[in-house]
Amino acid sequence: MKSWHYALLVFLGGCSFGILSTFVKLAYAAGFTMPQVSGSQVFCGTVIIWSIALFAKKIKITMLQAGKILGAGIPTGLTGVFYYQCLQTVNASLAIIFLFQFIWIGTLIEWVVYKRKPSKLKVISIIILLAGSLLAAGLISGNIQSISGEGAMWGLLSAVTFSLFIFLSGVVGKELPAIQKSALLATGSMITVFILFPPLFLFDAPVLFSLAPYGLLLGIFGVVLPPLLFSIGMPHVGPGLGTILTASELPVAVVLSAAVLSEHVGVLQWTGVLIILAGIMIGNKSSIQPKIIQPYELNSQG
């Protein structure tokens, strides 16, 4: 596979995440609750990915390896729970701005884990990102009172767990075929959500059948495609270019929130979105083809 093919896969993975908020809002409008929406997503997604994995190439792994990958699925499940909780009180076009703070949070994780102090260029890009976020959220135009504090908290928590997912997807289970790894990640995510919210909807036939279309769409775009595409593409493009490519999530979410949900997205908000994208590109300008650090390298730095 050519290098641009891997980049395209990561880009499409970001687009898939960008679609989710619109479908979640539509599910809420149809009367479904956050536990039902989150649970149907992970259930449908896990069933689909395991159905594919049954006929795909797999390798034998130890219980320890399987446990690590299942554990890496925990941030994925928590991201959905936190993000969908945020969407209960915040517009989709604003919720994605909170989620997108994973960019600078990911930099902190890299600093702590890899002992890589951010460069001056990276710091500048983070400042640009935060300025763009203030503009995109409407805070500069005086709309701060209309923002739910609870929604903002859940949105920022989703950013933390999403950054952990991005980090772990590049370093855990790299020896596994992408579909096998994605199936295990999805299973870890499903277990996490079902522990938090027992899947009672599975035993209520009318609710299950009416919820199924949303669960299938959210499962495909939130559970099946992103981990699979990131598992294939991220190790080849690296975290620098990968971060830029996953930024496709932002414009997709904002465009759909305006086109499908009829949310107002003004000129200032669009300007903020463009500033965020510019900040991401500036921060990763010098690391488009970085060296991928292997786990044993991480231990040697300890």
Side-chain angles (χ1 to χ4, degrees):
M1 187 179 290
K2 297 180 180 179
S3 59
W4 70 269
H5 290 163
Y6 293 113
L8 177 61
L9 293 179
V10 176
F11 176 83
L12 292 176
C15 291
S16 296
F17 271 128
I19 292 172
L20 298 180
S21 57
T22 296
F23 286 127
V24 171
K25 281 288 191 180
L26 292 175
Y28 287 163
F32 298 109
T33 65
M34 188 276 289
Q36 290 173 334
V37 174
S38 299
S40 66
Q41 171 180 316
V42 294
F43 176 74
C44 291
T46 302
V47 170
I48 292 171
I49 193 65
W50 272 113
S51 299
I52 299 172
L54 289 175
F55 304 97
K57 178 183 176 181
K58 296 182 287 294
I59 64 174
K60 187 175 181 179
I61 59 175
T62 65
M63 291 295 292
L64 180 58
Q65 288 175 304
K68 287 181 178 180
I69 301 173
L70 288 172
I74 294 175
T76 313
L78 291 178
T79 297
V81 170
F82 295 154
Y83 188 43
Y84 296 171
Q85 189 73 39
C86 173
L87 285 167
Q88 288 190 314
T89 56
V90 170
N91 286 343
S93 57
L94 177 57
I96 190 64
I97 301 301
F98 289 126
L99 176 61
F100 236 72
Q101 304 311 303
F102 81 87
I103 300 296
W104 63 265
I105 294 172
T107 300
L108 287 180
I109 292 175
E110 186 177 351
W111 189 359
V112 172
V113 176
Y114 287 158
K115 304 298 188 293
R116 290 178 178 173
K117 186 177 180 180
S119 64
K120 290 183 179 180
L121 190 63
K122 196 77 171 181
V123 173
I124 292 173
S125 76
I126 290 173
I127 294 174
I128 294 174
L129 169 67
L130 293 175
S133 297
L134 292 175
L135 198 61
L139 299 182
I140 294 180
S141 58
N143 293 332
I144 188 170
Q145 294 181 346
S146 64
I147 298 176
S148 165
E150 181 183 354
M153 179 194 71
W154 289 118
L156 291 174
L157 282 174
S158 72
V160 172
T161 53
F162 187 63
S163 63
L164 288 172
F165 161 67
I166 293 293
F167 171 75
L168 291 174
S169 68
V171 299
V172 174
K174 294 171 66 173
E175 72 283 1
L176 267 65
I179 293 179
Q180 182 181 5
K181 175 181 174 181
S182 297
L184 289 169
L185 286 171
T187 303
S189 174
M190 183 180 69
I191 292 172
T192 301
V193 174
F194 282 0
I195 289 175
L196 294 173
F197 306 107
L200 301 179
F201 66 91
L202 292 176
F203 306 99
D204 189 332
V207 172
L208 180 61
F209 284 113
S210 58
L211 184 60
Y214 298 102
L216 287 171
L217 287 170
L218 292 171
I220 292 171
F221 289 107
V223 178
V224 178
L225 289 180
L228 178 60
L229 297 176
F230 289 164
S231 294
I232 298 173
M234 278 292 187
H236 295 275
V237 303
L241 179 57
T243 300
I244 295 174
L245 293 170
T246 55
S248 59
E249 174 184 357
L250 178 57
V252 168
V254 175
V255 167
L256 287 180
S257 68
V260 179
L261 302 176
S262 299
E263 293 182 1
H264 175 70
V265 182
V267 175
L268 286 178
Q269 286 176 281
W270 274 115
T271 302
V273 170
L274 294 176
I275 290 174
I276 290 172
L277 296 176
I280 293 169
M281 295 186 70
I282 290 172
N284 292 280
K285 183 178 179 181
S286 61
S287 59
I288 299 301
Q289 295 294 338
K291 176 187 177 184
I292 306 298
I293 290 187
Q294 304 294 337
Y296 68 84
E297 294 182 79
L298 175 58
N299 293 334
S300 67
Q301 294 178 8

